[in-house]
Amino acid sequence: ATRTKSVDVERADSGIGQMPARKWRNRASETLSSLQAWEAHRPCTDCGERDLPVETDVQNCNQRRADLCEKCRKRRTERKESVLEFVNTEASYGEDLRIIKEEFYLPMQAAGLLSQEQLLGIFSNIQELIDLNENFLEILQEEIDQAFDQGDDDLMTVCIGEVFLEFVNMLPAFQTYCLQQSSSVNMLNALEKEKELLRIFLNVSQNDNTALRRMNLRSFLMAPLQRVTKYPLLLSRIIKATTEYHPDHGSLREAKSRIESHLEHINMKTKQEGNTWTLRSFRQDSKKKREVINIEMRETALKTVGWLREETRFVMEGSLQLAQPPDGQWVKKGSKTLKFQNMQVLLLVNMKRVSESSLESAEPGPVKDAVLVLIRDKNNGKFHLLREPLRLSNCIVSTDPDCDDTFELIEIRREAFVFRDSDRARTHHWFRQIRRYSRELGSWKKRRNALPNIMISTPHTRP
């Protein structure tokens, strides 16, 4: 009987009463509405705006791409298309280069239609461009494949700008080809008129070889020029679709600036050599003009030292004031007694190659040599060297606390130079960089800590 009564009095409701239960359900409903409202207006992960569309379907909500607003979705799609366009057009350009070699150069060489000198005059450094394209395209394709493997369908982890800057050494190769283009075409025209067999071969190739798409040799020889002038446009499209917070945004802008500067430099060189054609012009501004001047100075410095381009690193470059003191007492007299002249100075370092590939992107090897190249300001359109480069393995760099706006470089048994920059902090930066490489080179310095005299006290030298 007791057991039956306990069953009779068992409650079937929640036990909190009718009014509290209604209030609890209202609060739960309000909380759910608030969560849904926040979910609908949470910030976009790309731009931070809160204009995401409301998703009523749970499955669609879960499949929504990274909580993006509609604007950023379109931007990501545009960026992906621009990145793929860059890679695909690079592959097409590489195919045209291989056609030049396999369908024209090698058959003409095997048949003896032209001498090796004539082939070099027409095809210039086409093999160098082929090698650069293959390496560049391989790295680009690896970036694309890795992104897809990691589930990055939007290719947001692909950094075209960084890869382009790693392969910036391909720009001088384009310059070499472009500057020889006019003479190459003139030579081809003259040889085609002179050699009947060559004329027959070119006509048959254009009409019967399906790989050529009914294009003649001159059209294919224009491929490198067309490619190098298209880089700024392709990079601009990627920049436009890349948010400024993306890690590749700065590299993309730098890559675009570098290629435009080289194109301006090629235009200038073309005009100086008297050619009638030029690459398409770009916007002129002071930054690009300065970069063109820097390119000219680097070329002058490389020709002077005779190093390979891929083994050379430009550590610092810019304008410095230089004076040659008549005696060693200039510190006591003060730097105001010295006669300074403006000079363009470049600090070049020759690095050992860590592999056979000239495009190795790994950490550079040890320093083989380091020099300072002193160039006078531009005169009559050309730069002039002040003297032969200063090899830091034969130099000692020091400073004095009483003259902290200058530093002195002494070439053993020869000359002494005093340098300064208009900005004192930059003067100190130049000093530290030059002293660093001066100490690294020359086995005799290991015994004397790169001091000009073994009696000099170390504490008096700037740390």
Side-chain angles (χ1 to χ4, degrees), residues 250-262:
S251 298
L252 285 167
R253 289 194 172 277
E254 183 181 354
K256 181 173 178 286
S257 177
R258 294 286 288 273
I259 182 63
E260 287 183 341
S261 298
H262 271 273

Side-chain angles (χ1 to χ4, degrees), residues 59 62 92 99 164 166 193-194 276 286 309 317 371 377 380 384 397 406 424 447 462:
Q59 185 177 2
N62 292 334
S92 300
I99 288 176
F164 193 96
E166 287 180 6
K193 293 179 182 178
E194 177 184 340
T276 55
S286 58
R309 189 183 302 272
E317 56 189 59
V371 298
D377 286 338
N380 296 327
H384 297 282
V397 190
T406 60
R424 183 169 300 186
R447 301 191 302 270
R462 181 186 301 277

